[in-house]
Amino acid sequence: MVSRKDNKFPLFRTFDFPLGTSTTPHQPPRDCSLCPRLADFRDKNQKTYPSYFNGPVPSFGDITASLLVVGLAPGLKGANRTGRPFTGDYAGDLLYGSLRRLGLARGEYAAEANDGLSLRGVRITNAVRCVPPKNAPEPLETTTCRTFLAGEIAAMANLRVILSLGAISHQSVCKTLDVKRKDYPFTHGGRFIQGELTLLASYHCSRYNTNTGVLTEKMFDTVMAAAKKAAGL
């Protein structure tokens, strides 16, 4: 338990969330049709890019992990192509580079799902599992896919830390855990602690954020190091 004295962001709440007792699926079916716009976009991509994964991208990492990283959604030519979160685009370069620097990933990251990279105590998922047009999921789609995020969190019996990448991911995690956003506003490095569960937030590791100076490698590594420490890794 981190005290108010030690916690830079002293916001506390009791989470009544039965970890490790999930009866809710945490992975959509391959042909998920719950979001018509996303399903239609996926069908079009299957014709345009027949060699791509083109489906709800499954989480990466062991379900027994203590740290869950939650992104926004797959990129068209990144995770939607490779079938692994944050794999194949710049965001993955920064995310997996940080994990490797901190000893949370082993092997070489080669931007392909079969590159042999493995995670240590970390699991990675997205708030929305299917690639959205223009990389922008609609609010209803985020809400619909939250069923699977809730199932993911509940299935992780050893979960201690959730790191949200970006404001939309952060908001979806808060809603999943019934946390009011006014009590936990999105800020880079924001921390919310109660008992053994810690919520952390970071700017998304997108090329746009790094090119504009909103996020640097050092800033990202600092938040990831805090997540590692809180997760006991």
Side-chain angles (χ1 to χ4, degrees), residues 196-226:
E196 295 184 354
L197 184 59
T198 300
L199 305 186
L200 289 167
S202 168
Y203 292 131
H204 194 280
C205 49
S206 65
R207 183 181 294 276
Y208 176 82
N209 281 344
T210 56
N211 283 350
T212 57
V214 170
L215 180 69
T216 65
E217 181 179 291
K218 182 178 180 180
M219 289 169 62
F220 193 70
D221 280 358
T222 297
V223 174
M224 189 63 74

Short mmCIF file of all heavy atoms in Angstrom, two decimals, residues 196-226:
data_model
loop_
_atom_site.label_atom_id
_atom_site.label_comp_id
_atom_site.label_asym_id
_atom_site.label_seq_id
_atom_site.Cartn_x
_atom_site.Cartn_y
_atom_site.Cartn_z
N GLU A 196 -3.94 -3.71 -3.60
CA GLU A 196 -2.90 -4.29 -4.45
C GLU A 196 -3.05 -3.90 -5.91
O GLU A 196 -2.25 -4.33 -6.75
CB GLU A 196 -2.91 -5.81 -4.32
CG GLU A 196 -2.54 -6.30 -2.92
CD GLU A 196 -2.46 -7.81 -2.85
OE1 GLU A 196 -2.80 -8.46 -3.86
OE2 GLU A 196 -2.07 -8.35 -1.81
N LEU A 197 -4.04 -3.10 -6.25
CA LEU A 197 -4.26 -2.72 -7.64
C LEU A 197 -3.83 -1.28 -7.88
O LEU A 197 -4.29 -0.37 -7.20
CB LEU A 197 -5.73 -2.90 -8.02
CG LEU A 197 -6.09 -2.61 -9.48
CD1 LEU A 197 -5.30 -3.54 -10.41
CD2 LEU A 197 -7.58 -2.76 -9.71
N THR A 198 -2.96 -1.09 -8.86
CA THR A 198 -2.47 0.24 -9.22
C THR A 198 -2.84 0.53 -10.67
O THR A 198 -2.60 -0.29 -11.55
CB THR A 198 -0.94 0.32 -9.08
OG1 THR A 198 -0.58 0.06 -7.72
CG2 THR A 198 -0.42 1.68 -9.48
N LEU A 199 -3.40 1.71 -10.90
CA LEU A 199 -3.67 2.16 -12.26
C LEU A 199 -2.68 3.25 -12.61
O LEU A 199 -2.49 4.21 -11.85
CB LEU A 199 -5.09 2.72 -12.38
CG LEU A 199 -6.25 1.82 -11.95
CD1 LEU A 199 -7.57 2.50 -12.27
CD2 LEU A 199 -6.17 0.45 -12.59
N LEU A 200 -2.04 3.12 -13.75
CA LEU A 200 -1.11 4.12 -14.25
C LEU A 200 -1.52 4.54 -15.65
O LEU A 200 -2.18 3.76 -16.37
CB LEU A 200 0.32 3.57 -14.28
CG LEU A 200 1.01 3.34 -12.93
CD1 LEU A 200 2.27 2.51 -13.12
CD2 LEU A 200 1.35 4.67 -12.29
N ALA A 201 -1.14 5.74 -16.05
CA ALA A 201 -1.49 6.24 -17.38
C ALA A 201 -0.28 6.87 -18.04
O ALA A 201 0.58 7.45 -17.37
CB ALA A 201 -2.64 7.24 -17.28
N SER A 202 -0.23 6.76 -19.36
CA SER A 202 0.84 7.37 -20.14
C SER A 202 0.25 7.92 -21.43
O SER A 202 -0.75 7.41 -21.93
CB SER A 202 1.92 6.33 -20.48
OG SER A 202 2.82 6.83 -21.46
N TYR A 203 0.90 8.94 -21.97
CA TYR A 203 0.56 9.32 -23.33
C TYR A 203 0.79 8.11 -24.22
O TYR A 203 1.68 7.29 -23.96
CB TYR A 203 1.44 10.47 -23.81
CG TYR A 203 1.20 11.78 -23.11
CD1 TYR A 203 2.27 12.52 -22.60
CD2 TYR A 203 -0.08 12.30 -22.98
CE1 TYR A 203 2.06 13.74 -21.96
CE2 TYR A 203 -0.30 13.51 -22.33
CZ TYR A 203 0.77 14.22 -21.83
OH TYR A 203 0.56 15.41 -21.20
N HIS A 204 -0.01 8.01 -25.27
CA HIS A 204 0.15 6.88 -26.19
C HIS A 204 1.50 6.97 -26.89
O HIS A 204 1.98 8.06 -27.22
CB HIS A 204 -0.98 6.87 -27.22
CG HIS A 204 -1.09 5.59 -27.97
ND1 HIS A 204 -0.25 5.27 -29.02
CD2 HIS A 204 -1.92 4.53 -27.80
CE1 HIS A 204 -0.59 4.07 -29.48
NE2 HIS A 204 -1.58 3.59 -28.76
N CYS A 205 2.11 5.82 -27.10
CA CYS A 205 3.45 5.76 -27.70
C CYS A 205 3.39 5.82 -29.23
O CYS A 205 4.07 5.06 -29.92
CB CYS A 205 4.18 4.51 -27.24
SG CYS A 205 3.23 2.97 -27.37
N SER A 206 2.60 6.73 -29.75
CA SER A 206 2.43 6.87 -31.19
C SER A 206 3.55 7.73 -31.79
O SER A 206 4.20 8.52 -31.09
CB SER A 206 1.09 7.54 -31.50
OG SER A 206 1.06 8.87 -31.01
N ARG A 207 3.75 7.58 -33.08
CA ARG A 207 4.75 8.39 -33.77
C ARG A 207 4.39 9.87 -33.67
O ARG A 207 5.27 10.73 -33.51
CB ARG A 207 4.86 7.98 -35.24
CG ARG A 207 5.94 8.73 -36.00
CD ARG A 207 5.98 8.31 -37.45
NE ARG A 207 6.38 6.95 -37.62
CZ ARG A 207 7.64 6.53 -37.66
NH1 ARG A 207 8.63 7.39 -37.51
NH2 ARG A 207 7.93 5.27 -37.85
N TYR A 208 3.10 10.18 -33.75
CA TYR A 208 2.67 11.58 -33.67
C TYR A 208 3.11 12.20 -32.34
O TYR A 208 3.65 13.30 -32.31
CB TYR A 208 1.15 11.68 -33.82
CG TYR A 208 0.63 13.09 -33.65
CD1 TYR A 208 0.66 14.00 -34.72
CD2 TYR A 208 0.12 13.53 -32.43
CE1 TYR A 208 0.21 15.30 -34.57
CE2 TYR A 208 -0.33 14.83 -32.26
CZ TYR A 208 -0.29 15.70 -33.34
OH TYR A 208 -0.73 16.99 -33.17
N ASN A 209 2.87 11.49 -31.25
CA ASN A 209 3.23 12.03 -29.93
C ASN A 209 4.73 12.21 -29.77
O ASN A 209 5.20 13.16 -29.12
CB ASN A 209 2.68 11.14 -28.82
CG ASN A 209 1.21 11.37 -28.56
OD1 ASN A 209 0.64 12.37 -28.98
ND2 ASN A 209 0.57 10.43 -27.87
N THR A 210 5.51 11.31 -30.33
CA THR A 210 6.96 11.44 -30.21
C THR A 210 7.51 12.49 -31.18
O THR A 210 8.41 13.25 -30.82
CB THR A 210 7.66 10.09 -30.45
OG1 THR A 210 7.29 9.56 -31.72
CG2 THR A 210 7.29 9.10 -29.36
N ASN A 211 6.95 12.55 -32.38
CA ASN A 211 7.41 13.56 -33.35
C ASN A 211 7.12 14.97 -32.88
O ASN A 211 7.87 15.91 -33.20
CB ASN A 211 6.77 13.32 -34.71
CG ASN A 211 7.41 12.17 -35.47
OD1 ASN A 211 8.44 11.64 -35.07
ND2 ASN A 211 6.78 11.76 -36.56
N THR A 212 6.03 15.15 -32.15
CA THR A 212 5.66 16.48 -31.69
C THR A 212 6.25 16.81 -30.32
O THR A 212 6.03 17.90 -29.80
CB THR A 212 4.13 16.62 -31.61
OG1 THR A 212 3.59 15.59 -30.76
CG2 THR A 212 3.50 16.51 -33.00
N GLY A 213 6.97 15.88 -29.73
CA GLY A 213 7.60 16.13 -28.44
C GLY A 213 6.69 15.96 -27.25
O GLY A 213 7.09 16.23 -26.11
N VAL A 214 5.46 15.50 -27.50
CA VAL A 214 4.53 15.27 -26.39
C VAL A 214 5.06 14.15 -25.50
O VAL A 214 4.93 14.20 -24.27
CB VAL A 214 3.13 14.91 -26.93
CG1 VAL A 214 2.21 14.43 -25.80
CG2 VAL A 214 2.51 16.12 -27.62
N LEU A 215 5.67 13.14 -26.14
CA LEU A 215 6.21 12.00 -25.41
C LEU A 215 7.63 11.71 -25.89
O LEU A 215 7.89 11.67 -27.09
CB LEU A 215 5.33 10.77 -25.64
CG LEU A 215 5.75 9.48 -24.94
CD1 LEU A 215 5.56 9.60 -23.43
CD2 LEU A 215 4.93 8.29 -25.47
N THR A 216 8.52 11.50 -24.95
CA THR A 216 9.89 11.11 -25.28
C THR A 216 10.13 9.69 -24.79
O THR A 216 9.39 9.17 -23.95
CB THR A 216 10.92 12.05 -24.62
OG1 THR A 216 10.83 11.91 -23.19
CG2 THR A 216 10.66 13.50 -25.01
N GLU A 217 11.19 9.08 -25.28
CA GLU A 217 11.55 7.74 -24.84
C GLU A 217 11.79 7.71 -23.34
O GLU A 217 11.36 6.79 -22.65
CB GLU A 217 12.79 7.26 -25.59
CG GLU A 217 13.23 5.86 -25.24
CD GLU A 217 14.46 5.42 -26.02
OE1 GLU A 217 14.33 5.22 -27.25
OE2 GLU A 217 15.54 5.30 -25.40
N LYS A 218 12.45 8.74 -22.83
CA LYS A 218 12.73 8.80 -21.39
C LYS A 218 11.44 8.90 -20.59
O LYS A 218 11.29 8.23 -19.56
CB LYS A 218 13.64 10.00 -21.09
CG LYS A 218 14.02 10.10 -19.61
CD LYS A 218 14.96 11.28 -19.36
CE LYS A 218 15.32 11.37 -17.88
NZ LYS A 218 16.25 12.52 -17.63
N MET A 219 10.50 9.73 -21.04
CA MET A 219 9.21 9.86 -20.36
C MET A 219 8.48 8.53 -20.31
O MET A 219 7.92 8.13 -19.29
CB MET A 219 8.34 10.90 -21.06
CG MET A 219 8.79 12.33 -20.90
SD MET A 219 7.87 13.44 -22.02
CE MET A 219 6.18 13.23 -21.42
N PHE A 220 8.50 7.82 -21.45
CA PHE A 220 7.79 6.54 -21.53
C PHE A 220 8.46 5.50 -20.64
O PHE A 220 7.78 4.76 -19.91
CB PHE A 220 7.74 6.07 -22.98
CG PHE A 220 6.78 4.93 -23.20
CD1 PHE A 220 5.41 5.12 -23.12
CD2 PHE A 220 7.25 3.66 -23.50
CE1 PHE A 220 4.53 4.08 -23.31
CE2 PHE A 220 6.37 2.61 -23.71
CZ PHE A 220 5.01 2.82 -23.62
N ASP A 221 9.78 5.45 -20.68
CA ASP A 221 10.51 4.49 -19.85
C ASP A 221 10.26 4.74 -18.36
O ASP A 221 10.19 3.79 -17.57
CB ASP A 221 12.01 4.57 -20.13
CG ASP A 221 12.42 3.83 -21.39
OD1 ASP A 221 11.55 3.21 -22.03
OD2 ASP A 221 13.62 3.88 -21.74
N THR A 222 10.12 6.00 -17.99
CA THR A 222 9.89 6.33 -16.58
C THR A 222 8.56 5.77 -16.09
O THR A 222 8.47 5.20 -14.99
CB THR A 222 9.92 7.86 -16.37
OG1 THR A 222 11.23 8.36 -16.71
CG2 THR A 222 9.61 8.23 -14.93
N VAL A 223 7.51 5.93 -16.91
CA VAL A 223 6.21 5.39 -16.52
C VAL A 223 6.25 3.86 -16.53
O VAL A 223 5.71 3.21 -15.63
CB VAL A 223 5.10 5.90 -17.45
CG1 VAL A 223 3.77 5.23 -17.14
CG2 VAL A 223 4.95 7.41 -17.32
N MET A 224 6.89 3.27 -17.53
CA MET A 224 6.97 1.82 -17.60
C MET A 224 7.75 1.27 -16.41
O MET A 224 7.40 0.21 -15.85
CB MET A 224 7.61 1.38 -18.90
CG MET A 224 7.53 -0.12 -19.15
SD MET A 224 5.82 -0.73 -19.32
CE MET A 224 5.43 -0.10 -20.96
N ALA A 225 8.80 1.96 -15.99
CA ALA A 225 9.57 1.54 -14.82
C ALA A 225 8.72 1.60 -13.56
O ALA A 225 8.82 0.73 -12.68
CB ALA A 225 10.82 2.42 -14.66
N ALA A 226 7.85 2.61 -13.47
CA ALA A 226 6.94 2.71 -12.32
C ALA A 226 5.96 1.56 -12.32
O ALA A 226 5.63 1.00 -11.27
CB ALA A 226 6.21 4.05 -12.35
#
